[in-house]
mmCIF file of all heavy atoms in Angstrom:
data_model
loop_
_atom_site.group_PDB
_atom_site.id
_atom_site.type_symbol
_atom_site.label_atom_id
_atom_site.label_comp_id
_atom_site.label_asym_id
_atom_site.label_seq_id
_atom_site.Cartn_x
_atom_site.Cartn_y
_atom_site.Cartn_z
ATOM 1 N N LEU A 243 110.393 146.466 76.722
ATOM 2 C CA LEU A 243 109.257 146.139 77.580
ATOM 3 C C LEU A 243 109.698 145.278 78.756
ATOM 4 O O LEU A 243 109.241 145.465 79.891
ATOM 5 C CB LEU A 243 108.183 145.417 76.759
ATOM 6 C CG LEU A 243 106.897 145.047 77.503
ATOM 7 C CD1 LEU A 243 106.213 146.302 78.019
ATOM 8 C CD2 LEU A 243 105.953 144.271 76.596
ATOM 9 N N TYR A 244 110.581 144.342 78.453
ATOM 10 C CA TYR A 244 111.113 143.503 79.533
ATOM 11 C C TYR A 244 111.809 144.375 80.574
ATOM 12 O O TYR A 244 111.635 144.180 81.784
ATOM 13 C CB TYR A 244 112.087 142.470 78.965
ATOM 14 C CG TYR A 244 112.644 141.522 80.020
ATOM 15 C CD1 TYR A 244 111.965 140.357 80.337
ATOM 16 C CD2 TYR A 244 113.831 141.818 80.677
ATOM 17 C CE1 TYR A 244 112.463 139.492 81.307
ATOM 18 C CE2 TYR A 244 114.337 140.970 81.645
ATOM 19 C CZ TYR A 244 113.656 139.801 81.958
ATOM 20 O OH TYR A 244 114.139 138.961 82.912
ATOM 21 N N GLN A 245 112.589 145.349 80.058
ATOM 22 C CA GLN A 245 113.287 146.251 80.976
ATOM 23 C C GLN A 245 112.289 147.050 81.818
ATOM 24 O O GLN A 245 112.474 147.225 83.024
ATOM 25 C CB GLN A 245 114.187 147.217 80.188
ATOM 26 C CG GLN A 245 115.375 146.557 79.510
ATOM 27 C CD GLN A 245 116.377 145.992 80.513
ATOM 28 O OE1 GLN A 245 116.691 146.624 81.509
ATOM 29 N NE2 GLN A 245 116.866 144.796 80.235
ATOM 30 N N LYS A 246 111.227 147.537 81.143
ATOM 31 C CA LYS A 246 110.230 148.328 81.871
ATOM 32 C C LYS A 246 109.454 147.482 82.871
ATOM 33 O O LYS A 246 109.142 147.939 83.971
ATOM 34 C CB LYS A 246 109.264 148.985 80.882
ATOM 35 C CG LYS A 246 109.882 150.119 80.083
ATOM 36 C CD LYS A 246 108.854 150.746 79.148
ATOM 37 C CE LYS A 246 109.466 151.881 78.347
ATOM 38 N NZ LYS A 246 108.489 152.502 77.418
ATOM 39 N N VAL A 247 109.124 146.264 82.449
ATOM 40 C CA VAL A 247 108.294 145.407 83.304
ATOM 41 C C VAL A 247 109.100 144.808 84.445
ATOM 42 O O VAL A 247 108.617 144.691 85.578
ATOM 43 C CB VAL A 247 107.636 144.292 82.465
ATOM 44 C CG1 VAL A 247 106.914 143.289 83.368
ATOM 45 C CG2 VAL A 247 106.655 144.893 81.473
ATOM 46 N N TYR A 248 110.357 144.463 84.177
ATOM 47 C CA TYR A 248 111.116 143.690 85.153
ATOM 48 C C TYR A 248 112.309 144.428 85.758
ATOM 49 O O TYR A 248 113.029 143.844 86.575
ATOM 50 C CB TYR A 248 111.613 142.386 84.518
ATOM 51 C CG TYR A 248 110.487 141.418 84.224
ATOM 52 C CD1 TYR A 248 110.100 141.154 82.911
ATOM 53 C CD2 TYR A 248 109.791 140.790 85.255
ATOM 54 C CE1 TYR A 248 109.064 140.274 82.639
ATOM 55 C CE2 TYR A 248 108.752 139.914 84.996
ATOM 56 C CZ TYR A 248 108.396 139.660 83.683
ATOM 57 O OH TYR A 248 107.369 138.788 83.419
ATOM 58 N N THR A 249 112.550 145.678 85.347
ATOM 59 C CA THR A 249 113.642 146.431 85.976
ATOM 60 C C THR A 249 113.142 147.795 86.414
ATOM 61 O O THR A 249 112.226 148.367 85.801
ATOM 62 C CB THR A 249 114.830 146.615 85.009
ATOM 63 O OG1 THR A 249 114.393 147.359 83.873
ATOM 64 C CG2 THR A 249 115.393 145.282 84.560
ATOM 65 N N HIS A 250 113.735 148.321 87.467
ATOM 66 C CA HIS A 250 113.365 149.646 87.955
ATOM 67 C C HIS A 250 114.033 150.695 87.083
ATOM 68 O O HIS A 250 115.227 150.618 86.795
ATOM 69 C CB HIS A 250 113.785 149.799 89.419
ATOM 70 C CG HIS A 250 113.087 150.921 90.111
ATOM 71 N ND1 HIS A 250 113.448 152.236 89.929
ATOM 72 C CD2 HIS A 250 112.030 150.918 90.973
ATOM 73 C CE1 HIS A 250 112.655 153.001 90.666
ATOM 74 N NE2 HIS A 250 111.787 152.232 91.308
ATOM 75 N N PHE A 251 113.263 151.696 86.668
ATOM 76 C CA PHE A 251 113.767 152.665 85.691
ATOM 77 C C PHE A 251 114.883 153.544 86.244
ATOM 78 O O PHE A 251 115.682 154.092 85.488
ATOM 79 C CB PHE A 251 112.605 153.553 85.198
ATOM 80 C CG PHE A 251 112.115 154.558 86.211
ATOM 81 C CD1 PHE A 251 112.527 155.873 86.155
ATOM 82 C CD2 PHE A 251 111.241 154.171 87.215
ATOM 83 C CE1 PHE A 251 112.071 156.801 87.074
ATOM 84 C CE2 PHE A 251 110.781 155.086 88.138
ATOM 85 C CZ PHE A 251 111.195 156.410 88.074
ATOM 86 N N LEU A 252 114.972 153.682 87.568
ATOM 87 C CA LEU A 252 116.020 154.528 88.135
ATOM 88 C C LEU A 252 117.334 153.781 88.327
ATOM 89 O O LEU A 252 118.400 154.256 87.945
ATOM 90 C CB LEU A 252 115.556 155.103 89.483
ATOM 91 C CG LEU A 252 114.512 156.216 89.429
ATOM 92 C CD1 LEU A 252 114.088 156.610 90.837
ATOM 93 C CD2 LEU A 252 115.071 157.430 88.696
ATOM 94 N N SER A 253 117.236 152.589 88.918
ATOM 95 C CA SER A 253 118.451 151.874 89.310
ATOM 96 C C SER A 253 118.896 150.824 88.302
ATOM 97 O O SER A 253 120.056 150.420 88.293
ATOM 98 C CB SER A 253 118.218 151.201 90.663
ATOM 99 O OG SER A 253 117.171 150.241 90.557
ATOM 100 N N GLY A 254 117.974 150.368 87.461
ATOM 101 C CA GLY A 254 118.292 149.278 86.553
ATOM 102 C C GLY A 254 118.281 147.918 87.231
ATOM 103 O O GLY A 254 118.546 146.892 86.598
ATOM 104 N N LEU A 255 117.960 147.881 88.530
ATOM 105 C CA LEU A 255 117.869 146.614 89.264
ATOM 106 C C LEU A 255 116.536 145.931 88.955
ATOM 107 O O LEU A 255 115.564 146.588 88.563
ATOM 108 C CB LEU A 255 117.981 146.878 90.764
ATOM 109 C CG LEU A 255 119.343 147.366 91.284
ATOM 110 C CD1 LEU A 255 119.226 147.770 92.752
ATOM 111 C CD2 LEU A 255 120.410 146.283 91.119
ATOM 112 N N PRO A 256 116.471 144.602 89.151
ATOM 113 C CA PRO A 256 115.178 143.917 89.018
ATOM 114 C C PRO A 256 114.146 144.567 89.947
ATOM 115 O O PRO A 256 114.475 144.960 91.071
ATOM 116 C CB PRO A 256 115.498 142.473 89.432
ATOM 117 C CG PRO A 256 116.958 142.326 89.205
ATOM 118 C CD PRO A 256 117.567 143.665 89.485
ATOM 119 N N ASN A 257 112.896 144.659 89.473
ATOM 120 C CA ASN A 257 111.881 145.349 90.260
ATOM 121 C C ASN A 257 110.935 144.373 90.958
ATOM 122 O O ASN A 257 111.191 143.165 91.013
ATOM 123 C CB ASN A 257 111.101 146.326 89.373
ATOM 124 C CG ASN A 257 110.392 145.618 88.239
ATOM 125 O OD1 ASN A 257 110.287 144.388 88.222
ATOM 126 N ND2 ASN A 257 109.904 146.389 87.273
ATOM 127 N N ARG A 258 109.862 144.915 91.462
ATOM 128 C CA ARG A 258 108.900 144.102 92.224
ATOM 129 C C ARG A 258 108.295 143.000 91.354
ATOM 130 O O ARG A 258 108.098 141.875 91.821
ATOM 131 C CB ARG A 258 107.797 145.003 92.783
ATOM 132 C CG ARG A 258 106.822 144.296 93.711
ATOM 133 C CD ARG A 258 105.718 145.250 94.165
ATOM 134 N NE ARG A 258 104.900 144.637 95.195
ATOM 135 C CZ ARG A 258 105.149 144.697 96.486
ATOM 136 N NH1 ARG A 258 106.222 145.345 96.918
ATOM 137 N NH2 ARG A 258 104.348 144.110 97.372
ATOM 138 N N ASN A 259 107.974 143.327 90.092
ATOM 139 C CA ASN A 259 107.407 142.313 89.198
ATOM 140 C C ASN A 259 108.352 141.123 89.045
ATOM 141 O O ASN A 259 107.919 139.965 89.054
ATOM 142 C CB ASN A 259 107.126 142.925 87.824
ATOM 143 C CG ASN A 259 106.025 143.957 87.870
ATOM 144 O OD1 ASN A 259 105.136 143.885 88.710
ATOM 145 N ND2 ASN A 259 106.079 144.931 86.982
ATOM 146 N N LYS A 260 109.638 141.433 88.887
ATOM 147 C CA LYS A 260 110.626 140.367 88.740
ATOM 148 C C LYS A 260 110.718 139.533 90.014
ATOM 149 O O LYS A 260 110.818 138.287 89.960
ATOM 150 C CB LYS A 260 111.986 140.987 88.400
ATOM 151 C CG LYS A 260 113.109 139.969 88.198
ATOM 152 C CD LYS A 260 112.825 139.014 87.048
ATOM 153 C CE LYS A 260 114.001 138.092 86.801
ATOM 154 N NZ LYS A 260 113.677 137.020 85.825
ATOM 155 N N LEU A 261 110.658 140.203 91.167
ATOM 156 C CA LEU A 261 110.713 139.473 92.444
ATOM 157 C C LEU A 261 109.519 138.533 92.582
ATOM 158 O O LEU A 261 109.671 137.363 92.964
ATOM 159 C CB LEU A 261 110.738 140.466 93.611
ATOM 160 C CG LEU A 261 110.707 139.855 95.014
ATOM 161 C CD1 LEU A 261 111.914 138.954 95.251
ATOM 162 C CD2 LEU A 261 110.650 140.946 96.083
ATOM 163 N N LEU A 262 108.324 139.044 92.260
ATOM 164 C CA LEU A 262 107.125 138.211 92.385
ATOM 165 C C LEU A 262 107.183 137.030 91.416
ATOM 166 O O LEU A 262 106.736 135.925 91.753
ATOM 167 C CB LEU A 262 105.876 139.051 92.120
ATOM 168 C CG LEU A 262 105.601 140.171 93.135
ATOM 169 C CD1 LEU A 262 104.384 140.991 92.718
ATOM 170 C CD2 LEU A 262 105.391 139.596 94.534
ATOM 171 N N GLU A 263 107.724 137.257 90.224
ATOM 172 C CA GLU A 263 107.859 136.155 89.274
ATOM 173 C C GLU A 263 108.891 135.143 89.766
ATOM 174 O O GLU A 263 108.698 133.926 89.640
ATOM 175 C CB GLU A 263 108.256 136.707 87.899
ATOM 176 C CG GLU A 263 108.283 135.643 86.816
ATOM 177 C CD GLU A 263 108.518 136.223 85.438
ATOM 178 O OE1 GLU A 263 107.611 136.905 84.926
ATOM 179 O OE2 GLU A 263 109.619 135.998 84.890
ATOM 180 N N ASP A 264 109.990 135.645 90.329
ATOM 181 C CA ASP A 264 111.027 134.741 90.846
ATOM 182 C C ASP A 264 110.518 133.912 92.020
ATOM 183 O O ASP A 264 110.987 132.787 92.247
ATOM 184 C CB ASP A 264 112.261 135.541 91.264
ATOM 185 C CG ASP A 264 113.034 136.056 90.053
ATOM 186 O OD1 ASP A 264 112.738 135.593 88.930
ATOM 187 O OD2 ASP A 264 113.918 136.917 90.235
ATOM 188 N N PHE A 265 109.553 134.468 92.751
ATOM 189 C CA PHE A 265 108.939 133.690 93.830
ATOM 190 C C PHE A 265 108.272 132.427 93.288
ATOM 191 O O PHE A 265 108.196 131.407 93.979
ATOM 192 C CB PHE A 265 107.891 134.540 94.573
ATOM 193 C CG PHE A 265 108.425 135.207 95.809
ATOM 194 C CD1 PHE A 265 108.424 136.591 95.924
ATOM 195 C CD2 PHE A 265 108.930 134.458 96.862
ATOM 196 C CE1 PHE A 265 108.915 137.211 97.055
ATOM 197 C CE2 PHE A 265 109.419 135.074 98.004
ATOM 198 C CZ PHE A 265 109.417 136.453 98.096
ATOM 199 N N GLN A 266 107.772 132.511 92.047
ATOM 200 C CA GLN A 266 107.120 131.354 91.444
ATOM 201 C C GLN A 266 108.132 130.340 90.899
ATOM 202 O O GLN A 266 107.791 129.183 90.674
ATOM 203 C CB GLN A 266 106.208 131.814 90.285
ATOM 204 C CG GLN A 266 105.212 132.893 90.661
ATOM 205 C CD GLN A 266 104.268 132.459 91.757
ATOM 206 O OE1 GLN A 266 103.819 131.315 91.786
ATOM 207 N NE2 GLN A 266 103.988 133.369 92.694
#
């Protein structure tokens, strides 16, 4: 779930959710 929520399924890079969380 962490992978799905926080990583992009194609690239394996952190995704938008992770970026928005890191902003906090």
Side-chain angles (χ1 to χ4, degrees):
L243 182 61
Y244 182 88
Q245 292 294 317
K246 288 181 180 179
V247 173
Y248 291 110
T249 61
H250 198 283
F251 73 99
L252 286 176
S253 62
L255 292 172
N257 61 12
R258 186 183 188 89
N259 293 332
K260 181 61 175 171
L261 176 61
L262 295 176
E263 186 173 290
D264 287 348
F265 265 119
Q266 307 300 321

